[in-house]
Amino acid sequence: MQSKNKNRFNLSIMITDKFASSLVQQVLAWIQSSSHIVILTHMSPDGDAMGSSLGLCHWLRLCDKQVSVVVPNTFPDFLSWLPSASEDLIYETDSEAADRLLAQADLIICTDFNEPKRIGSLGDRLMEQHAAGKRVIVIDHHLMVEEKTVPPTDNVLKLIYPDSPSASELVYRLLLQMRVLQPNLPALNLDAATCIYTGMMTDTGNFSFNSNYPEMYEIVGDLVRLGVNKDAVYNSVFNSYKTDRMRLMGYCLYQKMRIYPEHHTALIYLSRKELYRFNFQSGDAEGIVNLPLQIKDIYYSCFMREDKVNPTEVNLANGSKIKVKISMRSQGDRPVNTMCHEVYNGGGHKNASGGEYYGPLPEAVERFLNNYQHYFKKD
Ligand code: 5GP
Ligand code: MN
């Protein structure tokens, strides 16, 4: 019978190296010379943000590091079952404790974002630590915009690969490459594997987009071999709606969806009053933007919801108390990130991006209506 180590070694041969070995070596050296590590991930954490940060956290704890995960604001209920999610420190409600941890840390690791703005005022704390010379590692799969990202100083290592479907997959690949370099490092445990699997699953819509290459399934195979119950993860994430959330989706489709057939576009927007009617909670809007893409010949979808400006982002709001969160999705070679970037100061991936508008909902809608024909193709 093959030993477990042999299996691991064989697996590493099937997976192409993502990172230059010198970079992995440096990451490993920074980790090994640190005892206190803080992991940060983006505002309104999604499955990949939670999965990449917690997956890495579990593994670093196996390496006997003191590790904390800090999120800017609360995560949705459908991710609260993730191993150790309840230990995440929420900056919005516990900023003093988080500031202390950041000050004590020898190393800060950012996952699933590379722009300090994506973590609100926690980004200012990150930049203070960075300016003071603290080591920062960024593991992300979003496009990097030079003037918005963490500056490329000697105390920063960037593992930013926009071609990767998820940050969680990058974490898996990094851990694998580190273990190939140093075979005595711990293997992933089930908690780490479950978190990483969850991030890979959610950022690919349960492997329905950005998911058409074999290595992804080598990784999934390995995670299942480690004990991940992928069917249970699917149920916990996707079959766990509250009744109100399901009804909100029905309301959006029946009463709120506008279709602009010439440009293959759908738009849904919700005011705070409407959200209130459905007892809206963080995460309830997740997935609504994808629904119109199920319509034949609809290739672009935009979803907007009104929100209040939260305390960690007042510096961005120019005095407005209201903001509108914008999400866009598309299919095929039809980018939505350009419009998000240029019209809503946001960004993201070609087929999934977002942004924010600090002002009333009708203004954000008007901007959309004035611009979509320019950005969205007719054919
Ligand atoms: P969602 O629509 O799920 O909030 O976000 C979709 C994608 O766009 C995610 O990859 C997310 O990181 C990115 N995104 C969402 N909002 C913003 C934003 O305000 N700025 C940038 N740069 N990216 C965003
Ligand atoms: Mn992601």
Side-chain angles (χ1 to χ4, degrees), residues 126-184:
L126 169 65
M127 284 300 86
E128 284 161 17
Q129 295 294 331
H130 164 269
K134 192 155 291 179
R135 286 174 167 174
V136 177
I137 298 174
V138 185
I139 305 171
D140 187 29
H141 68 133
H142 295 97
L143 284 178
M144 191 172 69
V145 179
E146 217 59 64
E147 45 308 346
K148 293 184 175 181
T149 190
V150 182
T153 47
D154 284 350
N155 57 326
V156 176
L157 291 177
K158 292 186 186 178
L159 288 71
I160 301 177
Y161 296 80
D163 65 334
S164 178
S166 62
S168 296
E169 182 174 319
L170 290 174
V171 167
Y172 175 91
R173 286 172 178 274
L174 175 66
L175 300 186
L176 183 71
Q177 277 192 246
M178 289 200 290
R179 295 186 50 243
V180 171
L181 276 181
Q182 266 189 36
N184 60 337

Tab-separated table of all heavy atoms in Angstrom, residues 126-184:
chain	number	residue	atom	x	y	z
A	126	LEU	N	-3.795	48.789	7.851
A	126	LEU	CA	-2.868	47.952	7.073
A	126	LEU	C	-1.743	48.809	6.492
A	126	LEU	O	-0.560	48.469	6.587
A	126	LEU	CB	-3.631	47.228	5.947
A	126	LEU	CG	-2.796	46.518	4.883
A	126	LEU	CD1	-1.995	45.360	5.479
A	126	LEU	CD2	-3.672	45.993	3.742
A	127	MET	N	-2.120	49.963	5.924
A	127	MET	CA	-1.112	50.825	5.299
A	127	MET	C	-0.166	51.448	6.340
A	127	MET	O	1.006	51.661	6.055
A	127	MET	CB	-1.796	51.914	4.454
A	127	MET	CG	-2.338	51.418	3.125
A	127	MET	SD	-1.071	50.724	2.017
A	127	MET	CE	-0.973	49.074	2.526
A	128	GLU	N	-0.686	51.707	7.538
A	128	GLU	CA	0.199	52.208	8.606
A	128	GLU	C	1.255	51.160	8.961
A	128	GLU	O	2.436	51.465	9.102
A	128	GLU	CB	-0.621	52.530	9.865
A	128	GLU	CG	-1.411	53.834	9.772
A	128	GLU	CD	-2.535	53.899	10.807
A	128	GLU	OE1	-2.515	53.116	11.788
A	128	GLU	OE2	-3.442	54.729	10.613
A	129	GLN	N	0.800	49.914	9.107
A	129	GLN	CA	1.735	48.831	9.447
A	129	GLN	C	2.744	48.630	8.318
A	129	GLN	O	3.932	48.432	8.561
A	129	GLN	CB	0.961	47.520	9.688
A	129	GLN	CG	0.036	47.550	10.887
A	129	GLN	CD	0.790	47.682	12.192
A	129	GLN	OE1	1.934	47.243	12.316
A	129	GLN	NE2	0.166	48.312	13.175
A	130	HIS	N	2.236	48.703	7.098
A	130	HIS	CA	3.101	48.539	5.929
A	130	HIS	C	4.157	49.641	5.881
A	130	HIS	O	5.349	49.391	5.673
A	130	HIS	CB	2.222	48.544	4.666
A	130	HIS	CG	2.969	48.755	3.393
A	130	HIS	ND1	3.174	50.007	2.848
A	130	HIS	CD2	3.575	47.884	2.568
A	130	HIS	CE1	3.879	49.880	1.743
A	130	HIS	NE2	4.127	48.603	1.542
A	131	ALA	N	3.704	50.877	6.142
A	131	ALA	CA	4.640	52.011	6.107
A	131	ALA	C	5.686	51.885	7.217
A	131	ALA	O	6.822	52.345	7.070
A	131	ALA	CB	3.865	53.317	6.246
A	132	ALA	N	5.295	51.246	8.326
A	132	ALA	CA	6.247	51.076	9.435
A	132	ALA	C	7.207	49.911	9.163
A	132	ALA	O	8.040	49.583	9.994
A	132	ALA	CB	5.474	50.839	10.736
A	133	GLY	N	7.055	49.254	8.023
A	133	GLY	CA	8.015	48.213	7.629
A	133	GLY	C	7.552	46.800	7.898
A	133	GLY	O	8.308	45.842	7.678
A	134	LYS	N	6.308	46.645	8.400
A	134	LYS	CA	5.847	45.278	8.679
A	134	LYS	C	5.703	44.488	7.391
A	134	LYS	O	5.324	45.021	6.353
A	134	LYS	CB	4.520	45.321	9.427
A	134	LYS	CG	4.134	43.979	9.987
A	134	LYS	CD	3.216	44.085	11.175
A	134	LYS	CE	3.913	44.660	12.386
A	134	LYS	NZ	3.047	44.791	13.523
A	135	ARG	N	6.001	43.186	7.487
A	135	ARG	CA	5.915	42.330	6.290
A	135	ARG	C	4.458	42.035	5.945
A	135	ARG	O	3.652	41.732	6.828
A	135	ARG	CB	6.649	41.030	6.535
A	135	ARG	CG	8.153	41.230	6.503
A	135	ARG	CD	8.881	39.974	6.898
A	135	ARG	NE	10.295	40.092	6.558
A	135	ARG	CZ	11.208	39.194	6.886
A	135	ARG	NH1	10.852	38.095	7.552
A	135	ARG	NH2	12.461	39.371	6.543
A	136	VAL	N	4.180	42.127	4.645
A	136	VAL	CA	2.816	41.896	4.157
A	136	VAL	C	2.885	40.937	2.962
A	136	VAL	O	3.683	41.141	2.048
A	136	VAL	CB	2.152	43.228	3.707
A	136	VAL	CG1	0.764	42.971	3.124
A	136	VAL	CG2	2.076	44.228	4.865
A	137	ILE	N	2.075	39.890	3.004
A	137	ILE	CA	1.954	38.985	1.842
A	137	ILE	C	0.535	39.119	1.295
A	137	ILE	O	-0.429	39.111	2.066
A	137	ILE	CB	2.226	37.517	2.247
A	137	ILE	CG1	3.649	37.351	2.776
A	137	ILE	CG2	1.988	36.573	1.060
A	137	ILE	CD1	3.971	35.963	3.330
A	138	VAL	N	0.420	39.302	-0.014
A	138	VAL	CA	-0.901	39.443	-0.639
A	138	VAL	C	-1.153	38.243	-1.545
A	138	VAL	O	-0.389	37.988	-2.477
A	138	VAL	CB	-0.990	40.748	-1.472
A	138	VAL	CG1	-2.405	40.933	-2.014
A	138	VAL	CG2	-0.577	41.964	-0.639
A	139	ILE	N	-2.220	37.499	-1.264
A	139	ILE	CA	-2.578	36.335	-2.093
A	139	ILE	C	-3.949	36.634	-2.695
A	139	ILE	O	-4.947	36.698	-1.987
A	139	ILE	CB	-2.657	35.044	-1.237
A	139	ILE	CG1	-1.345	34.821	-0.485
A	139	ILE	CG2	-3.014	33.842	-2.121
A	139	ILE	CD1	-1.405	33.699	0.542
A	140	ASP	N	-3.980	36.876	-4.008
A	140	ASP	CA	-5.245	37.357	-4.581
A	140	ASP	C	-5.381	36.972	-6.045
A	140	ASP	O	-4.401	36.685	-6.731
A	140	ASP	CB	-5.317	38.885	-4.435
A	140	ASP	CG	-6.682	39.413	-4.864
A	140	ASP	OD1	-7.681	38.681	-4.734
A	140	ASP	OD2	-6.755	40.558	-5.355
A	141	HIS	N	-6.620	37.036	-6.525
A	141	HIS	CA	-6.883	36.733	-7.933
A	141	HIS	C	-7.671	37.870	-8.605
A	141	HIS	O	-8.339	37.637	-9.611
A	141	HIS	CB	-7.608	35.390	-8.078
A	141	HIS	CG	-9.007	35.394	-7.559
A	141	HIS	ND1	-10.061	34.875	-8.273
A	141	HIS	CD2	-9.546	35.868	-6.417
A	141	HIS	CE1	-11.172	35.017	-7.580
A	141	HIS	NE2	-10.891	35.616	-6.454
A	142	HIS	N	-7.612	39.070	-8.040
A	142	HIS	CA	-8.229	40.225	-8.710
A	142	HIS	C	-7.162	40.990	-9.492
A	142	HIS	O	-5.984	40.936	-9.145
A	142	HIS	CB	-8.872	41.163	-7.685
A	142	HIS	CG	-10.019	40.532	-6.973
A	142	HIS	ND1	-9.880	39.940	-5.742
A	142	HIS	CD2	-11.296	40.373	-7.334
A	142	HIS	CE1	-11.053	39.451	-5.371
A	142	HIS	NE2	-11.929	39.692	-6.323
A	143	LEU	N	-7.612	41.710	-10.491
A	143	LEU	CA	-6.669	42.528	-11.248
A	143	LEU	C	-5.987	43.512	-10.310
A	143	LEU	O	-6.598	43.993	-9.358
A	143	LEU	CB	-7.410	43.314	-12.331
A	143	LEU	CG	-7.846	42.547	-13.570
A	143	LEU	CD1	-8.613	43.477	-14.501
A	143	LEU	CD2	-6.645	41.939	-14.296
A	144	MET	N	-4.723	43.769	-10.619
A	144	MET	CA	-4.000	44.701	-9.765
A	144	MET	C	-3.921	46.051	-10.475
A	144	MET	O	-3.442	46.128	-11.609
A	144	MET	CB	-2.604	44.148	-9.532
A	144	MET	CG	-1.839	44.857	-8.475
A	144	MET	SD	-0.316	44.002	-8.129
A	144	MET	CE	0.592	44.280	-9.620
A	145	VAL	N	-4.413	47.094	-9.829
A	145	VAL	CA	-4.336	48.439	-10.402
A	145	VAL	C	-3.263	49.183	-9.598
A	145	VAL	O	-3.408	49.379	-8.396
A	145	VAL	CB	-5.701	49.165	-10.322
A	145	VAL	CG1	-5.599	50.571	-10.902
A	145	VAL	CG2	-6.777	48.363	-11.043
A	146	GLU	N	-2.188	49.534	-10.322
A	146	GLU	CA	-0.982	50.057	-9.670
A	146	GLU	C	-1.274	51.131	-8.623
A	146	GLU	O	-0.768	51.073	-7.496
A	146	GLU	CB	-0.039	50.614	-10.750
A	146	GLU	CG	1.427	50.366	-10.477
A	146	GLU	CD	1.789	48.880	-10.338
A	146	GLU	OE1	1.652	48.104	-11.316
A	146	GLU	OE2	2.192	48.511	-9.220
A	147	GLU	N	-2.124	52.115	-8.976
A	147	GLU	CA	-2.308	53.225	-8.036
A	147	GLU	C	-3.258	52.882	-6.885
A	147	GLU	O	-3.394	53.644	-5.946
A	147	GLU	CB	-2.696	54.516	-8.724
A	147	GLU	CG	-3.718	54.667	-9.788
A	147	GLU	CD	-3.739	53.827	-11.055
A	147	GLU	OE1	-2.765	53.137	-11.410
A	147	GLU	OE2	-4.791	53.868	-11.700
A	148	LYS	N	-3.883	51.720	-6.932
A	148	LYS	CA	-4.821	51.370	-5.856
A	148	LYS	C	-4.310	50.277	-4.929
A	148	LYS	O	-4.810	50.097	-3.831
A	148	LYS	CB	-6.145	50.878	-6.465
A	148	LYS	CG	-6.950	51.931	-7.207
A	148	LYS	CD	-8.256	51.299	-7.640
A	148	LYS	CE	-9.195	52.281	-8.296
A	148	LYS	NZ	-10.465	51.612	-8.672
A	149	THR	N	-3.322	49.499	-5.406
A	149	THR	CA	-2.916	48.313	-4.658
A	149	THR	C	-1.860	48.646	-3.588
A	149	THR	O	-1.388	49.775	-3.496
A	149	THR	CB	-2.390	47.241	-5.648
A	149	THR	OG1	-2.216	46.019	-4.951
A	149	THR	CG2	-1.081	47.670	-6.271
A	150	VAL	N	-1.522	47.651	-2.771
A	150	VAL	CA	-0.468	47.829	-1.763
A	150	VAL	C	0.844	48.114	-2.500
A	150	VAL	O	1.217	47.375	-3.414
A	150	VAL	CB	-0.316	46.530	-0.926
A	150	VAL	CG1	0.733	46.695	0.150
A	150	VAL	CG2	-1.654	46.092	-0.336
A	151	PRO	N	1.560	49.198	-2.129
A	151	PRO	CA	2.780	49.555	-2.864
A	151	PRO	C	3.841	48.441	-2.833
A	151	PRO	O	3.956	47.738	-1.828
A	151	PRO	CB	3.286	50.806	-2.119
A	151	PRO	CG	2.115	51.305	-1.351
A	151	PRO	CD	1.245	50.128	-1.057
A	152	PRO	N	4.604	48.303	-3.922
A	152	PRO	CA	5.550	47.192	-4.037
A	152	PRO	C	6.891	47.448	-3.352
A	152	PRO	O	7.925	47.549	-4.005
A	152	PRO	CB	5.732	47.078	-5.560
A	152	PRO	CG	5.536	48.473	-6.052
A	152	PRO	CD	4.585	49.156	-5.111
A	153	THR	N	6.878	47.542	-2.051
A	153	THR	CA	8.119	47.795	-1.315
A	153	THR	C	8.788	46.470	-0.931
A	153	THR	O	8.224	45.403	-1.155
A	153	THR	CB	7.796	48.600	-0.043
A	153	THR	OG1	6.682	47.975	0.588
A	153	THR	CG2	7.443	50.026	-0.364
A	154	ASP	N	9.976	46.566	-0.299
A	154	ASP	CA	10.728	45.355	0.057
A	154	ASP	C	10.011	44.476	1.071
A	154	ASP	O	10.320	43.303	1.212
A	154	ASP	CB	12.081	45.753	0.675
A	154	ASP	CG	13.035	46.202	-0.414
A	154	ASP	OD1	12.698	46.005	-1.596
A	154	ASP	OD2	14.099	46.756	-0.061
A	155	ASN	N	9.112	45.086	1.822
A	155	ASN	CA	8.418	44.310	2.857
A	155	ASN	C	7.083	43.724	2.357
A	155	ASN	O	6.231	43.362	3.161
A	155	ASN	CB	8.201	45.156	4.122
A	155	ASN	CG	7.436	46.436	3.848
A	155	ASN	OD1	7.589	47.028	2.777
A	155	ASN	ND2	6.606	46.864	4.779
A	156	VAL	N	6.915	43.678	1.036
A	156	VAL	CA	5.673	43.129	0.478
A	156	VAL	C	5.986	42.007	-0.516
A	156	VAL	O	6.856	42.155	-1.372
A	156	VAL	CB	4.868	44.223	-0.265
A	156	VAL	CG1	3.632	43.637	-0.919
A	156	VAL	CG2	4.461	45.325	0.704
A	157	LEU	N	5.277	40.892	-0.380
A	157	LEU	CA	5.330	39.834	-1.393
A	157	LEU	C	3.944	39.690	-1.983
A	157	LEU	O	2.972	39.556	-1.252
A	157	LEU	CB	5.745	38.495	-0.765
A	157	LEU	CG	7.180	38.365	-0.257
A	157	LEU	CD1	7.383	36.999	0.392
A	157	LEU	CD2	8.179	38.558	-1.408
A	158	LYS	N	3.872	39.756	-3.311
A	158	LYS	CA	2.556	39.678	-3.942
A	158	LYS	C	2.406	38.388	-4.737
A	158	LYS	O	3.210	38.106	-5.622
A	158	LYS	CB	2.350	40.862	-4.873
A	158	LYS	CG	2.244	42.168	-4.127
A	158	LYS	CD	1.892	43.291	-5.074
A	158	LYS	CE	1.926	44.619	-4.332
A	158	LYS	NZ	1.652	45.751	-5.183
A	159	LEU	N	1.376	37.653	-4.424
A	159	LEU	CA	1.022	36.460	-5.192
A	159	LEU	C	-0.341	36.750	-5.801
A	159	LEU	O	-1.380	36.332	-5.297
A	159	LEU	CB	0.972	35.222	-4.283
A	159	LEU	CG	2.317	34.671	-3.768
A	159	LEU	CD1	2.938	35.584	-2.729
A	159	LEU	CD2	2.142	33.283	-3.191
A	160	ILE	N	-0.329	37.563	-6.860
A	160	ILE	CA	-1.579	38.045	-7.453
A	160	ILE	C	-1.705	37.475	-8.864
A	160	ILE	O	-0.925	37.810	-9.750
A	160	ILE	CB	-1.619	39.589	-7.460
A	160	ILE	CG1	-1.499	40.108	-6.026
A	160	ILE	CG2	-2.930	40.091	-8.096
A	160	ILE	CD1	-1.447	41.614	-5.896
A	161	TYR	N	-2.678	36.603	-9.044
A	161	TYR	CA	-2.847	35.886	-10.316
A	161	TYR	C	-4.298	35.981	-10.771
A	161	TYR	O	-5.127	35.132	-10.420
A	161	TYR	CB	-2.430	34.412	-10.147
A	161	TYR	CG	-0.962	34.288	-9.826
A	161	TYR	CD1	-0.504	34.500	-8.524
A	161	TYR	CD2	-0.032	34.006	-10.819
A	161	TYR	CE1	0.852	34.427	-8.217
A	161	TYR	CE2	1.323	33.931	-10.526
A	161	TYR	CZ	1.757	34.146	-9.228
A	161	TYR	OH	3.090	34.091	-8.931
A	162	PRO	N	-4.635	37.013	-11.574
A	162	PRO	CA	-6.036	37.193	-11.985
A	162	PRO	C	-6.578	36.033	-12.827
A	162	PRO	O	-7.780	35.923	-12.993
A	162	PRO	CB	-6.002	38.490	-12.797
A	162	PRO	CG	-4.778	39.199	-12.354
A	162	PRO	CD	-3.785	38.125	-12.029
A	163	ASP	N	-5.701	35.175	-13.319
A	163	ASP	CA	-6.206	34.023	-14.081
A	163	ASP	C	-6.694	32.908	-13.164
A	163	ASP	O	-7.269	31.924	-13.627
A	163	ASP	CB	-5.119	33.487	-15.027
A	163	ASP	CG	-3.930	32.920	-14.264
A	163	ASP	OD1	-3.702	33.350	-13.114
A	163	ASP	OD2	-3.230	32.046	-14.804
A	164	SER	N	-6.473	33.037	-11.883
A	164	SER	CA	-6.923	31.981	-10.968
A	164	SER	C	-8.396	32.176	-10.617
A	164	SER	O	-8.824	33.286	-10.321
A	164	SER	CB	-6.083	32.017	-9.684
A	164	SER	OG	-6.545	31.032	-8.787
A	165	PRO	N	-9.186	31.110	-10.655
A	165	PRO	CA	-10.622	31.257	-10.384
A	165	PRO	C	-10.935	31.669	-8.944
A	165	PRO	O	-11.983	32.237	-8.682
A	165	PRO	CB	-11.181	29.860	-10.642
A	165	PRO	CG	-10.110	29.104	-11.309
A	165	PRO	CD	-8.811	29.745	-10.995
A	166	SER	N	-10.045	31.361	-8.029
A	166	SER	CA	-10.322	31.733	-6.633
A	166	SER	C	-9.016	31.957	-5.883
A	166	SER	O	-7.971	31.403	-6.246
A	166	SER	CB	-11.129	30.629	-5.933
A	166	SER	OG	-10.383	29.421	-5.907
A	167	ALA	N	-9.103	32.747	-4.830
A	167	ALA	CA	-7.945	32.924	-3.951
A	167	ALA	C	-7.705	31.634	-3.177
A	167	ALA	O	-6.570	31.296	-2.833
A	167	ALA	CB	-8.194	34.094	-3.003
A	168	SER	N	-8.801	30.903	-2.919
A	168	SER	CA	-8.661	29.640	-2.165
A	168	SER	C	-7.794	28.648	-2.932
A	168	SER	O	-6.984	27.936	-2.346
A	168	SER	CB	-10.041	29.043	-1.898
A	168	SER	OG	-10.775	29.913	-1.070
A	169	GLU	N	-7.988	28.601	-4.258
A	169	GLU	CA	-7.143	27.694	-5.055
A	169	GLU	C	-5.677	28.123	-4.966
A	169	GLU	O	-4.780	27.285	-4.885
A	169	GLU	CB	-7.610	27.671	-6.518
A	169	GLU	CG	-6.776	26.698	-7.333
A	169	GLU	CD	-7.258	26.506	-8.763
A	169	GLU	OE1	-8.471	26.419	-8.992
A	169	GLU	OE2	-6.374	26.422	-9.651
A	170	LEU	N	-5.434	29.438	-4.960
A	170	LEU	CA	-4.046	29.919	-4.822
A	170	LEU	C	-3.459	29.491	-3.475
A	170	LEU	O	-2.289	29.117	-3.385
A	170	LEU	CB	-3.995	31.446	-4.964
A	170	LEU	CG	-4.260	32.004	-6.368
A	170	LEU	CD1	-4.313	33.532	-6.331
A	170	LEU	CD2	-3.173	31.542	-7.359
A	171	VAL	N	-4.291	29.549	-2.431
A	171	VAL	CA	-3.808	29.124	-1.109
A	171	VAL	C	-3.433	27.639	-1.167
A	171	VAL	O	-2.365	27.230	-0.711
A	171	VAL	CB	-4.875	29.383	-0.012
A	171	VAL	CG1	-4.522	28.659	1.295
A	171	VAL	CG2	-5.017	30.884	0.244
A	172	TYR	N	-4.303	26.838	-1.762
A	172	TYR	CA	-4.004	25.398	-1.874
A	172	TYR	C	-2.667	25.193	-2.604
A	172	TYR	O	-1.798	24.458	-2.161
A	172	TYR	CB	-5.115	24.655	-2.632
A	172	TYR	CG	-4.766	23.204	-2.853
A	172	TYR	CD1	-5.130	22.235	-1.929
A	172	TYR	CD2	-3.997	22.821	-3.957
A	172	TYR	CE1	-4.749	20.909	-2.104
A	172	TYR	CE2	-3.605	21.504	-4.141
A	172	TYR	CZ	-3.986	20.551	-3.222
A	172	TYR	OH	-3.605	19.254	-3.390
A	173	ARG	N	-2.522	25.871	-3.735
A	173	ARG	CA	-1.313	25.686	-4.551
A	173	ARG	C	-0.059	26.150	-3.802
A	173	ARG	O	0.997	25.536	-3.893
A	173	ARG	CB	-1.444	26.446	-5.870
A	173	ARG	CG	-2.393	25.775	-6.849
A	173	ARG	CD	-2.635	26.661	-8.057
A	173	ARG	NE	-3.503	26.046	-9.031
A	173	ARG	CZ	-3.106	25.215	-10.003
A	173	ARG	NH1	-1.834	24.909	-10.137
A	173	ARG	NH2	-3.970	24.692	-10.838
A	174	LEU	N	-0.210	27.235	-3.060
A	174	LEU	CA	0.929	27.731	-2.282
A	174	LEU	C	1.335	26.706	-1.218
A	174	LEU	O	2.522	26.395	-1.056
A	174	LEU	CB	0.555	29.077	-1.628
A	174	LEU	CG	1.607	29.653	-0.696
A	174	LEU	CD1	2.863	30.048	-1.477
A	174	LEU	CD2	1.051	30.871	0.053
A	175	LEU	N	0.337	26.173	-0.506
A	175	LEU	CA	0.647	25.203	0.550
A	175	LEU	C	1.310	23.963	-0.063
A	175	LEU	O	2.277	23.429	0.490
A	175	LEU	CB	-0.620	24.802	1.315
A	175	LEU	CG	-1.360	25.947	2.026
A	175	LEU	CD1	-2.509	25.417	2.868
A	175	LEU	CD2	-0.418	26.777	2.889
A	176	LEU	N	0.791	23.543	-1.202
A	176	LEU	CA	1.369	22.372	-1.868
A	176	LEU	C	2.823	22.641	-2.254
A	176	LEU	O	3.714	21.847	-1.966
A	176	LEU	CB	0.544	22.034	-3.112
A	176	LEU	CG	0.991	20.780	-3.867
A	176	LEU	CD1	0.673	19.527	-3.075
A	176	LEU	CD2	0.319	20.711	-5.225
A	177	GLN	N	3.059	23.792	-2.868
A	177	GLN	CA	4.431	24.098	-3.299
A	177	GLN	C	5.379	24.246	-2.101
A	177	GLN	O	6.533	23.855	-2.178
A	177	GLN	CB	4.450	25.363	-4.161
A	177	GLN	CG	4.102	25.055	-5.610
A	177	GLN	CD	4.396	26.234	-6.537
A	177	GLN	OE1	3.478	26.805	-7.099
A	177	GLN	NE2	5.648	26.618	-6.702
A	178	MET	N	4.861	24.806	-1.006
A	178	MET	CA	5.724	24.925	0.180
A	178	MET	C	6.077	23.537	0.708
A	178	MET	O	7.194	23.278	1.132
A	178	MET	CB	5.030	25.755	1.267
A	178	MET	CG	4.939	27.233	0.901
A	178	MET	SD	4.667	28.340	2.281
A	178	MET	CE	3.007	27.944	2.726
A	179	ARG	N	5.089	22.633	0.639
A	179	ARG	CA	5.323	21.286	1.165
A	179	ARG	C	6.216	20.459	0.248
A	179	ARG	O	6.879	19.530	0.699
A	179	ARG	CB	3.988	20.595	1.428
A	179	ARG	CG	3.227	21.316	2.536
A	179	ARG	CD	1.967	20.610	2.948
A	179	ARG	NE	2.245	19.222	3.221
A	179	ARG	CZ	1.723	18.197	2.546
A	179	ARG	NH1	0.885	18.425	1.566
A	179	ARG	NH2	2.024	16.984	2.871
A	180	VAL	N	6.225	20.794	-1.021
A	180	VAL	CA	7.159	20.112	-1.920
A	180	VAL	C	8.586	20.579	-1.611
A	180	VAL	O	9.524	19.797	-1.563
A	180	VAL	CB	6.783	20.353	-3.402
A	180	VAL	CG1	7.872	19.843	-4.334
A	180	VAL	CG2	5.457	19.678	-3.727
A	181	LEU	N	8.708	21.885	-1.327
A	181	LEU	CA	10.030	22.423	-0.966
A	181	LEU	C	10.520	21.851	0.366
A	181	LEU	O	11.687	21.567	0.539
A	181	LEU	CB	9.960	23.946	-0.826
A	181	LEU	CG	10.094	24.808	-2.063
A	181	LEU	CD1	10.011	26.276	-1.662
A	181	LEU	CD2	11.411	24.533	-2.773
A	182	GLN	N	9.579	21.734	1.296
A	182	GLN	CA	9.953	21.250	2.636
A	182	GLN	C	8.978	20.156	3.057
A	182	GLN	O	7.969	20.432	3.712
A	182	GLN	CB	9.886	22.404	3.645
A	182	GLN	CG	11.225	23.060	3.827
A	182	GLN	CD	11.240	24.061	4.967
A	182	GLN	OE1	10.595	23.867	5.995
A	182	GLN	NE2	11.970	25.125	4.779
A	183	PRO	N	9.247	18.918	2.699
A	183	PRO	CA	8.293	17.823	2.913
A	183	PRO	C	7.932	17.584	4.380
A	183	PRO	O	6.951	16.902	4.657
A	183	PRO	CB	9.001	16.616	2.309
A	183	PRO	CG	9.987	17.192	1.342
A	183	PRO	CD	10.424	18.490	1.930
A	184	ASN	N	8.702	18.128	5.302
A	184	ASN	CA	8.335	17.911	6.713
A	184	ASN	C	7.249	18.879	7.209
A	184	ASN	O	6.781	18.786	8.334
A	184	ASN	CB	9.578	18.012	7.605
A	184	ASN	CG	10.237	19.378	7.510
A	184	ASN	OD1	10.041	20.096	6.502
A	184	ASN	ND2	10.983	19.765	8.530
